[in-house]
Amino acid sequence: DGGITQSPKYLFRKEGQNVTLSCEQNLNHDAMYWYRQDPGQGLRLIYYSQIVNDFQKGDIAEGYSVSREKKESFPLTVTSAQKNPTAFYLCASSIEGTPGETQYFGPGTRLLVL
Amino acid sequence: AQRVTQPEKLLSVFKGAPVELKCNYSYSGSPELFWYVQYSRQRLQLLLRHISRESIKGFTADLNKGETSFHLKKPFAQEEDSAMYYCALSEDAGGTSYGKLTFGQGTILTVHP
C-alpha cells in the first residue's frame, strides 16, 4: 500500500481548536503533499514540500500550517482560522517532487467539526 | 493557470458495455496527464499516465492535444471497475510547480451486473 500512513483515521475538532494530522512515509521520498478532498470538487492542494525544512503553499493554504523537520514526516495543522475544515485529508509523496512523477497516497484522515 | 475538467460526476454502464470517462484540460505548455482511481475502502492510486502509453486493467487513454482531452476508455466494463476516477495534470519538465498535480472533480463509475 505504498508505505504512507496517516493518523488518526477520524478526528473531531471543537470550535477555536487547532488540530494536527499526522503523515509518515518510509519510502525515502523527498517530496510530500497535502490535499483536501471535498465532494464534487476533487482534490485541492494545501501545501507541498520538496525537501526537508522547505515547503510551499498550494491553492488553498489559508487556515493551515505545516512543518517538515524530518524527511519521513509532514504533519498538517488545521488552525482555528480555517472556517470550513470538515473534509477528507489526503497525504501523498513522490520520489523527487519533479513534474510528471507518480504520487503515492495515504489512506486519509476525515476531519469533523463538533 | 492549469485546469482539469471532468464533465460527468456520475456514469453508469452495464457489465460488458464500453465505457468512456471524459477529461479536458487547459494548460499552455505540454502537460503530463494521469488517471488516478479510488476503489471502495482503498486508497487513491495511479491507474495510468499518458507517457507510458500502456493499457492497465484494460483501460487506455490517449492524449489529444488538439482537443486538449485525455479521455479514459475501456471496451468492456467489469463490475470491479466501479470506483471514483480522477484525471490529473502536472506541468511539463520545464515547469516550476515541483510536481504539483491539478485534479479534476472526479467521476464515479458504476458498472451494473
Side-chain angles (χ1 to χ4, degrees):
Chain A
D1 278 343
I4 300 178
T5 57
Q6 291 185 242
S7 61
K9 189 174 182 179
Y10 296 96
L11 186 58
F12 298 91
R13 194 192 90 165
K14 296 180 181 178
E15 292 288 336
Q17 184 182 42
N18 293 354
V19 293
T20 298
L21 285 63
S22 169
C23 177
E24 304 277 331
Q25 55 99 358
N26 62 3
L27 300 169
N28 200 32
H29 286 174
D30 284 325
M32 298 185 75
Y33 310 82
W34 273 106
Y35 293 92
R36 172 178 169 143
Q37 188 178 26
D38 294 282
Q41 296 194 53
L43 279 71
R44 292 179 291 166
L45 184 66
I46 305 173
Y47 268 97
Y48 60 99
S49 168
Q50 196 181 23
I51 198 168
V52 173
N53 293 322
D54 182 65
F55 48 83
Q56 306 293 330
K57 292 182 178 180
D59 299 319
I60 55 165
E62 185 175 352
Y64 300 97
S65 65
V66 293
S67 63
R68 187 83 188 278
E69 298 177 359
K70 297 187 296 183
K71 185 175 185 177
E72 57 270 23
S73 178
F74 191 40
L76 174 74
T77 296
V78 184
T79 75
S80 57
Q82 172 50 242
K83 298 306 179 188
N84 185 24
T86 297
F88 192 56
Y89 291 86
L90 286 171
C91 179
S93 70
S94 65
I95 297 173
E96 294 181 335
T98 53
E101 278 190 333
T102 298
Q103 292 187 13
Y104 298 87
F105 287 83
T109 293
R110 188 166 298 280
L111 177 60
L112 300 165
V113 177
L114 296 176
Chain B
Q2 55 263 45
R3 172 178 279 190
V4 177
T5 302
Q6 294 178 249
E8 303 138 330
K9 183 180 287 188
L10 301 169
L11 184 62
S12 290
V13 300
F14 286 99
K15 177 182 175 181
V19 63
E20 181 179 53
L21 289 82
K22 291 183 169 30
C23 172
N24 290 91
Y25 67 90
S26 63
Y27 178 64
S28 57
S30 295
E32 302 278 355
L33 284 154
F34 305 81
W35 278 98
Y36 281 82
V37 61
Q38 191 168 29
Y39 301 103
S40 177
R41 290 185 292 277
Q42 293 187 30
R43 61 184 70 191
L44 189 65
Q45 59 187 286
L46 177 71
L47 179 63
L48 56 79
R49 48 192 300 177
H50 90 271
I51 60 170
S52 300
R53 300 191 65 81
E54 56 190 345
S55 174
I56 304 293
K57 298 185 178 183
F59 283 98
T60 59
D62 292 317
L63 177 61
N64 186 322
K65 292 186 177 181
E67 296 183 357
T68 60
S69 68
F70 188 56
H71 303 327
L72 184 68
K73 301 177 184 179
K74 185 170 183 176
F76 307 103
Q78 303 299 315
E79 290 180 67
E80 55 265 31
D81 296 329
S82 297
M84 169 73 91
Y85 291 81
Y86 288 101
C87 183
L89 177 152
S90 172
E91 289 186 2
D92 59 24
T96 60
S97 66
Y98 300 108
K100 167 189 169 182
L101 285 175
T102 299
F103 284 85
Q105 301 93 325
T107 298
I108 299 174
L109 173 66
T110 302
V111 181
H112 300 283

